[in-house]
């Protein structure tokens, strides 16, 4: 049974930074990729970033490119999302997610992810 626990959210002012963390627990897991998504009130779940588990290739949404960085530590079973220069429009609940190890997946689509964290609230004030 794979479990994801994400944390690190909080209330910050515009221009400040936060680092989100996702800890993975379970036995014998292997992933195609890990992703971060966010969901703001009244809006659909939105892709933020993803990282391939084996190659470390990264993928970013245009809205956060250059401000956010996704990374992973396989030895520690963690994935992080460093968020810099935060804007009020970044306010949302952020979720980490994982895709089981398959040959190919569209990392931009939340529908292909098999496991989800519980979410962590990020609030950016202007």
């Amino acid at each position: 049974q794979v479990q994801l626990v994400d944390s690190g959210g909080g209330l910050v002012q515009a221009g400040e930074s936060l680092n989100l963390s996702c800890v993975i627990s379970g036995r014998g897991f292997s992933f195609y990729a890990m992703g971060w998504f966010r969901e703001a009130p009244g809006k659909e779940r939105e892709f933020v970033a993803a990282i391939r588990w084996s190659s470390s290739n990264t993928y970013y949404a245009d809205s956060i490119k250059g401000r956010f960085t996704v990374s992973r530590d396989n030895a520690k079973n963690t994935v992080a999302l460093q968020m810099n220069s935060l804007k009020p429009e970044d306010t949302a609940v952020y979720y980490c997610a994982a895709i089981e190890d398959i040959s190919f997946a569209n990392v931009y689509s939340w529908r292909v992810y098999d496991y989800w964290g519980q979410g962590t609230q990020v609030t950016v004030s202007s």
Side-chain angles (χ1 to χ4, degrees):
Q1 181 77 15
V2 173
Q3 190 172 19
L4 308 182
V5 178
D6 37 35
S7 62
L11 171 62
V12 297
Q13 293 187 336
E16 294 184 339
S17 300
L18 281 173
N19 187 64
L20 305 185
S21 178
C22 178
V23 178
I24 309 157
S25 62
R27 292 184 177 181
F29 57 81
S30 178
F31 300 130
Y32 177 85
M34 298 290 298
W36 287 95
F37 289 79
R38 65 187 182 185
E39 197 167 322
K43 295 187 177 181
E44 293 186 354
R45 190 168 302 183
E46 177 187 23
F47 171 80
V48 176
I51 184 167
R52 287 289 305 276
W53 194 252
S54 57
S55 67
S56 293
N57 287 351
T58 55
Y59 310 84
Y60 295 99
D62 288 342
S63 60
I64 58 85
K65 200 172 291 184
R67 298 189 296 123
F68 292 10
T69 302
V70 62
S71 61
R72 59 119 175 87
D73 186 331
N74 287 10
K76 295 182 179 180
N77 293 336
T78 59
V79 177
L81 184 67
Q82 177 64 40
M83 306 187 296
N84 298 327
S85 303
L86 283 162
K87 304 176 181 180
E89 50 264 43
D90 295 319
T91 295
V93 178
Y94 284 70
Y95 299 89
C96 68
I99 305 172
E100 289 184 332
D101 194 9
I102 55 177
S103 58
F104 173 78
N106 176 10
V107 300
Y108 298 94
S109 172
W110 64 266
R111 291 176 175 82
V112 307
Y113 286 78
D114 301 292
Y115 305 101
W116 290 85
Q118 82 285 0
T120 184
Q121 176 71 48
V122 172
T123 304
V124 185
S125 63
S126 57

